[in-house]
Amino acid sequence: ASLTDVQTQIIADLKDAAASLPLTYASADVGRATKGAAETLLAKVYLEQKDWADAATAALAVKNSKTYTLMTNYANLFDINDGFKNNSESIFEIQYKRDNANNINYETNYYCTWYFPFQDAGKPTYAGVNFGTTVLRGFEVYYPSARLVSLFDSGDIRRNVVLGYGYNGQTYTRTPKPGRPWFGPKFWDMQSNVQASGKDIYFLRYADAILALAEAYNEEGNTADAI
């Protein structure tokens, strides 16, 4: 099939889903796709097609549903200990489950264990930092690109969440390359056990819908509403 045919089918499927799915679920079904998930993904598809009007319509429907709100603290979006899972900003996130208290794995991911430094030889530390009782499996080969590091100025509140310079008042004594940090707490799960993590992974957040709406407005020349 042609690219056009595939995109046409994607849009038809997402419109059908948006018309059929509920805005929210009872607690037993939290994590299933919702109307907002279909509409946000639809907005992103329209952006790819440079169909600014339809992108704005889809994203505005998410905003006007009053179902989601932005989290007030960016760091809390990723802190498994503090209001992270299925929060007010989450539109669709891949669900994982682990009983940390009893060390029981149900459905876990191992991605969160990639983002720590490798353990120091013969020591309980990781690049000179003690993470406490958490048993980690760090890797030396995963670290932020120079391009990613360059995107943050010193006053950006996201900087020390995305980029890792230390933990709990401790500064890393070893970095992957000169002038390059490790990944930060956005990617960590301090309740993981070696390679088992119950931390969910975002697929769509309310921020995605708002940024899609802003981009569509701006491309249409509606700069005031975009801002």
Side-chain angles (χ1 to χ4, degrees), residues 117-129 138 140 173-174:
F118 198 73
Q119 187 171 357
D120 298 320
K123 299 179 181 179
T125 56
Y126 300 77
V129 167
E140 296 289 315
T173 58
R174 172 171 49 86

Side-chain angles (χ1 to χ4, degrees), residues 2-13 42 45 48-49:
S2 68
L3 174 61
T4 300
D5 288 345
V6 173
Q7 289 178 331
T8 298
Q9 186 64 57
I10 289 171
I11 290 169
D13 288 346
L42 182 60
V45 172
E48 288 291 328
Q49 293 188 314

Side-chain angles (χ1 to χ4, degrees), residues 69-74 76-77 82-84 87-90 202:
T69 57
L70 295 173
M71 296 275 280
T72 56
N73 186 330
Y74 180 77
N76 287 358
L77 276 165
D82 194 3
F84 158 73
N87 57 60
S88 66
E89 190 170 327
S90 175
Y202 289 118

